[in-house]
Amino acid sequence: MHSSTPSSESAGAAVEDQVSDALAAMVATARRRAARDGDRQIDTAHLLHSILEADREVWELLDGGSPQVGRLLGYLVQRSIGYGLRWQSSVEDSGAVPALSEQPEGLPGWSPSATAALDLGVRRAARRGAERAEGIDLFAGIVADEECRGAEVLHRAGVDCGALAERLGGSGGSV
């Protein structure tokens, strides 16, 4: 009997087929971070952390510049020592973005919100004519879901996600 849920290995290959080498490295970093923190799934905060560490294009979008990036990274680093402890042992699923015509099948080891953010990022990349999504595309997918953990971190650091979504070319399911 064939399962409709992809194995972790095939899901990893499916992700790598949709993203650039640079974004694949960011996803690998997010996966290691999730495992180190004892989280069962990669969530949007893990992804945001990796994007902020590696993607200068995202930095340039943030109005606060380096100080704001520093504040964001500070919140994300504190995740395992206090900030974000309420997230442990829970599945991130804001339910805000899946206003998609077809809900993407979940990726093993990914929260529903992280899966939706990746799907939005891949679709954004396709709309701009790119074969593979970049960090900025995944970032747009995270920003589009103002209820996800990554957006919560952005809000806490004073980022206006609505204005950021507009600069990224839309909001909601149209990112």
Side-chain angles (χ1 to χ4, degrees), residues 32-156:
R32 283 190 300 275
R33 183 171 284 114
R36 184 191 65 224
D37 291 349
D39 295 327
R40 293 177 304 160
Q41 297 180 321
I42 298 170
D43 66 25
T44 57
H46 294 121
L47 294 169
L48 176 64
H49 197 159
S50 295
I51 291 167
L52 288 173
E53 285 179 335
D55 196 322
R56 303 288 272 167
E57 187 177 5
V58 169
W59 285 29
E60 293 171 9
L61 282 171
L62 298 169
D63 291 331
S66 293
Q68 190 169 55
V69 172
R71 201 167 30 257
L72 283 163
L73 289 171
Y75 281 127
L76 290 161
V77 166
Q78 292 176 40
R79 174 187 181 125
S80 63
I81 59 170
Y83 176 75
L85 280 180
R86 62 186 159 75
W87 293 338
Q88 284 186 336
S89 301
S90 66
V91 174
E92 176 193 35
D93 185 10
S94 71
V97 165
L100 308 173
S101 57
E102 287 183 27
Q103 172 63 18
E105 191 162 332
L107 296 170
W110 286 61
S111 74
S113 293
T115 299
L118 177 63
D119 181 66
L120 286 171
V122 167
R123 290 188 297 129
R124 179 183 190 269
R127 276 194 306 279
R128 62 181 180 77
E131 288 186 30
R132 296 176 195 253
E134 299 289 343
I136 193 76
D137 300 309
L138 180 56
F139 182 67
I142 292 168
V143 169
D145 181 357
E146 291 200 41
E147 303 295 319
C148 73
R149 293 174 182 173
E152 181 180 332
V153 172
L154 291 165
H155 287 296
R156 286 186 181 257

